[in-house]
Amino acid sequence: MNEEQRKSQSQIKQVESTKVEKPLSEKTTADFAKYFQTTYQPPDIRKARKRYREKIEVHYDFEIPDDMKEIGEGKKFLIQTYGCQMNEHDTEVMAGILTEMGYQATTVTEEADIVLLNTCAIRENAENKVFGELGHLKPLKMEKPDLIIGVCGCMSQQESVVNKIMQKHQHVDLIFGTHNIHRLPHLIKEAFYSKAKVVEVWSKEGDIIENLPKVRHGKIKAWVNIMYGCDKFCTYCIVPMTRGKERSRRPEDIIQEVRRLAAEGYQEVTLLGQNVNAYGKDFEDIDYTFANLMDDMHKIDIPRVRFTTSHPRDFDDHLIEVLAQGGNLLDHIHLPVQSGSSEVLRRMNRKYTREEYLELVRKIKQAIPNVTLTTDIIVGFPNETEEQFEETMTLVEEVGFESAYTFIYSPREGTPAAARKDDVSMDEKKRRLYRLNELVNHQAADSMQEYQGKVVKVLVEGESKKDPDVLAGYTEKNKVVNFRGPKSVIGQIVDVKITDAKTWSLNGEMVENQVEVN
Ligand code: SAH
Ligand code: SF4
Ligand code: F3S
């Protein structure tokens, strides 16, 4: 072990769950040493399940320490985001923290003094992209030794990844986990002054840190976390290990955040959680569920409220009833099914059958007749038979999904499914994905045809990427619409008559008379 490796190893300290009572801003790395992991543990379901007992604390006292408020004056940062909406929102928080430290954002890597890679571990290709980028950054670091390169996000929560970075990517200065984001000022300072590799990945995950600064992407739509973590332990999935246990933000904090966003002129919020339907189940003092939260959102004067992602298992009748009120609660529900075969669903630990999923869809359609359903599907789960795959195909048709994110199963180290033998070849998995995508594309195109000649409400987000003379926005059902119109309508909801329907987007003309059509 060389000097640098020895130093960095010594920074991975011991894990304990003793509480520290100082305000967050005054805590030092030594205060937190108790929470660090001694050695990295591969994800372990049995250990992860023990976490239910840890108490959740909410902290409202986040502050950038005085001596770090100007540390970034005249310097620039760049954060690259690889993951889901939660990951994107974490980037907004890190951008907020760095901005309060005096740093300015840049999109040019060569200009940056700090480059953070906010990573995703959900599938192997997500990880490969990050290792590829680390390779690209090496020459820049050689040229600019003061550049701080950091790796954060879900990959950092995995032992194998941290080890690989330690061994093969010596030019990385900083590695921190998903529970350490609020520690960024301290970590940057350490990376800046010590010049040894700084590693801080907590296994403790019980806390919620409120009032973190954010630099949001745009002034029209905003992400709002309502809960963190996941306790579902689907057998293929790494998220319960990388994001920790389910913990809900207090309703009053969420309501206040959404009210503020509405007052600032935001037109749309998307409530975020890995399984938003489990919201509130961890409250010990109040009986308040996701349905209650959506009911409260319904009363807030903001035009559009979306949510993602909802797990079919916890989608109860009360929630359906609340969503059926409509108004700002949009009639688009993303409801990941993963597979149409009850046997595969059992092996995935999804805890519902094909029939139960279809029954839930029936209830939703009955209560919200105009509803649009979209989904996530994994093909080629270990030992998925041809018949089981066919069951997915028939389910997709039966539900009539208007779009779907489709994936080939990717084994994730430490998850139960990854330990199983798999007799389905990669060629076969690719063939199934291709067939599924054909079907999904076909259904998507059909659903778009129905919009021909209709008037839809479009939240205008800006100029279209392809043509600055064309505006682009989203319908209530999240379909992209391109149309010509004055730039003054950017940020507003306008009526657009559809003239041309493609598979993934619609073209139209703005109409002056406001006609209410869905
Ligand atoms: N919490 C959400 C999903 C978050 S991950 C839910 O349960 O609905 C987003 C999607 O990635 C999942 O729905 C699943 O379809 C896919 N996914 C997760 N793990 C995967 C793996 N190991 N291989 C392939 N796809 C995976
Ligand atoms: Fe992963 Fe399942 Fe949790 Fe979704 S519900 S994040 S798929 S474990
Ligand atoms: Fe990826 Fe982590 Fe999101 S693994 S999908 S960034 S929760």
Side-chain angles (χ1 to χ4, degrees):
M1 191 181 281
N2 66 25
E3 181 62 11
E4 194 179 355
Q5 278 169 327
R6 196 190 53 74
K7 269 196 204 153
S8 56
Q9 287 283 322
S10 70
Q11 303 209 22
I12 308 170
K13 298 175 191 144
Q14 240 179 328
V15 61
E16 263 177 47
S17 58
T18 329
K19 296 270 175 282
V20 187
E21 301 305 339
K22 281 187 206 169
L24 274 178
S25 57
E26 285 172 26
K27 289 177 189 173
T28 62
T29 304
D31 290 321
F32 287 106
K34 316 180 170 65
Y35 300 141
F36 299 172
Q37 292 169 317
T38 324
T39 50
Y40 288 92
Q41 300 288 320
D44 179 329
I45 275 208
R46 268 164 309 169
K47 275 196 202 135
R49 281 189 171 145
K50 285 193 191 144
R51 64 198 186 176
Y52 294 125
R53 278 183 246 125
E54 276 188 33
K55 194 165 159 22
I56 297 156
E57 280 181 42
V58 187
H59 299 266
Y60 293 92
D61 59 351
F62 176 84
E63 262 178 31
I64 309 275
D66 282 342
D67 63 329
M68 296 178 209
K69 281 187 180 147
E70 282 159 23
I71 203 170
E73 288 298 324
K75 295 197 183 123
K76 296 190 173 163
F77 74 87
L78 173 75
I79 310 177
Q80 294 194 20
T81 313
Y82 293 84
C84 60
Q85 293 96 331
M86 263 146 277
N87 203 237
E88 282 184 37
H89 191 44
D90 287 346
T91 291
E92 295 181 333
V93 171
M94 292 190 284
I97 294 175
L98 291 170
T99 304
E100 290 208 350
M101 291 169 73
Y103 287 96
Q104 267 187 338
T106 177
T107 50
V108 183
T109 316
E110 289 70 25
E111 268 181 24
D113 301 282
I114 297 183
V115 175
L116 297 180
L117 306 188
N118 190 11
T119 63
C120 172
I122 201 87
R123 283 170 291 275
E124 197 185 347
N125 56 3
E127 294 201 353
N128 290 344
K129 278 190 214 155
V130 170
F131 284 116
E133 184 58 23
L134 282 177
H136 292 146
L137 287 170
K138 197 170 179 181
L140 188 64
K141 175 79 181 177
M142 310 261 277
E143 225 177 85
K144 257 176 100 169
D146 286 341
L147 170 70
I148 293 177
I149 299 178
V151 177
C152 54
C154 288
M155 278 169 70
S156 326
Q157 294 289 137
Q158 293 171 279
E159 177 192 26
S160 56
V161 170
V162 174
N163 285 341
K164 188 167 166 186
I165 295 175
M166 295 289 216
Q167 283 158 14
K168 297 204 176 144
H169 299 276
Q170 296 283 331
H171 58 294
V172 172
D173 305 276
L174 174 60
I175 304 173
F176 59 100
T178 56
H179 310 301
N180 307 70
I181 288 177
H182 62 284
R183 295 266 306 139
L184 194 55
H186 302 266
L187 299 173
I188 297 280
K189 191 179 171 190
E190 261 180 68
F192 197 68
Y193 289 116
S194 80
K195 284 287 152 207
K197 216 186 276 302
V198 177
V199 181
E200 192 177 288
V201 181
W202 293 353
S203 55
K204 184 184 190 299
E205 61 213 342
D207 290 357
I208 291 179
I209 319 288
E210 287 293 341
N211 75 307
L212 288 167
K214 297 169 190 105
V215 173
R216 294 185 190 272
H217 183 73
K219 301 253 169 261
I220 301 168
K221 303 201 291 193
W223 309 114
V224 175
N225 271 328
I226 64 165
M227 59 187 300
Y228 303 93
C230 181
D231 287 342
K232 291 292 165 285
F233 294 101
C234 302
T235 53
Y236 50 82
C237 186
I238 196 75
V239 173
M241 277 63 89
T242 64
R243 291 271 164 177
K245 70 171 178 174
E246 282 175 2
R247 51 213 193 276
S248 307
R249 283 179 74 196
R250 302 294 300 181
E252 56 277 17
D253 293 332
I254 299 169
I255 292 167
Q256 188 192 45
E257 184 173 346
V258 175
R259 283 213 183 108
R260 276 197 190 145
L261 289 165
E264 285 170 31
Y266 280 88
Q267 301 290 303
E268 180 177 307
V269 290
T270 302
L271 308 183
L272 295 180
Q274 285 299 349
N275 169 18
V276 290
N277 301 339
Y279 175 78
K281 289 187 192 241
D282 52 321
F283 291 146
E284 285 172 5
D285 56 336
I286 50 171
D287 193 6
Y288 188 92
T289 63
F290 184 56
N292 297 123
L293 182 68
M294 288 308 277
D295 206 19
D296 280 334
M297 291 296 129
H298 183 64
K299 294 172 196 147
I300 298 180
D301 189 15
I302 189 153
R304 293 180 170 192
V305 180
R306 299 184 192 276
F307 57 90
T308 196
T309 297
S310 50
H311 192 298
R313 179 177 156 195
D314 298 315
F315 211 113
D316 58 32
D317 292 350
H318 185 199
L319 178 60
I320 298 178
E321 203 181 294
V322 169
L323 295 179
Q325 297 175 93
N328 62 358
L329 309 182
L330 304 183
D331 50 6
H332 167 212
I333 300 174
H334 187 67
L335 194 63
V337 65
Q338 313 301 355
S339 167
S341 150
S342 295
E343 171 54 20
V344 174
L345 288 169
R346 191 188 62 73
R347 286 194 273 124
M348 287 177 163
N349 193 33
R350 289 292 287 184
K351 299 249 167 66
Y352 54 83
T353 60
R354 173 192 177 94
E355 291 69 31
E356 283 162 351
Y357 185 89
L358 288 173
E359 172 59 13
L360 174 62
V361 166
R362 191 195 59 75
K363 282 202 272 183
I364 293 174
K365 284 184 175 172
Q366 193 178 36
I368 314 168
N370 237 330
V371 74
T372 286
L373 293 167
T374 55
T375 201
D376 292 352
I377 296 168
I378 297 176
V379 300
F381 187 73
N383 305 319
E384 179 192 62
T385 63
E386 185 64 33
E387 293 72 40
Q388 287 164 342
F389 169 68
E390 289 301 335
E391 287 186 82
T392 297
M393 296 287 279
T394 56
L395 182 124
V396 168
E397 274 183 278
E398 209 169 323
V399 177
F401 294 116
E402 292 192 11
S403 78
Y405 294 107
T406 56
F407 311 100
I408 289 182
Y409 164 73
S410 171
R412 305 284 66 212
E413 191 193 328
T415 60
R420 289 179 196 161
K421 278 212 189 102
D422 185 1
D423 63 9
V424 191
S425 70
M426 188 45 88
D427 278 352
E428 178 56 27
K429 291 182 195 218
K430 285 185 182 158
R431 197 188 61 81
R432 288 180 192 171
L433 182 71
Y434 184 82
R435 278 193 56 209
L436 177 62
N437 285 345
E438 293 264 279
L439 176 63
V440 170
N441 292 354
H442 189 70
Q443 288 187 188
D446 280 356
S447 73
M448 293 301 240
Q449 283 308 319
E450 313 224 326
Y451 288 96
Q452 284 281 11
K454 286 197 178 158
V455 176
V456 287
K457 297 216 167 291
V458 178
L459 172 54
V460 190
E461 290 194 15
E463 294 165 4
S464 118
K465 279 186 199 124
K466 287 187 198 141
D467 181 352
D469 290 335
V470 172
L471 297 176
Y474 286 84
T475 69
E476 295 185 345
K477 292 166 183 288
N478 226 11
K479 315 273 187 200
V480 186
V481 179
N482 295 303
F483 64 101
R484 284 180 196 276
K487 303 258 188 293
S488 57
V489 298
I490 292 175
Q492 292 177 22
I493 296 174
V494 296
D495 286 339
V496 176
K497 185 170 183 185
I498 302 307
T499 52
D500 182 19
K502 303 180 174 174
T503 306
W504 300 115
S505 68
L506 301 163
N507 292 340
E509 286 162 2
M510 215 175 114
V511 287
E512 298 306 325
N513 299 335
Q514 305 283 297
V515 188
E516 186 72 29
V517 183
N518 210 324

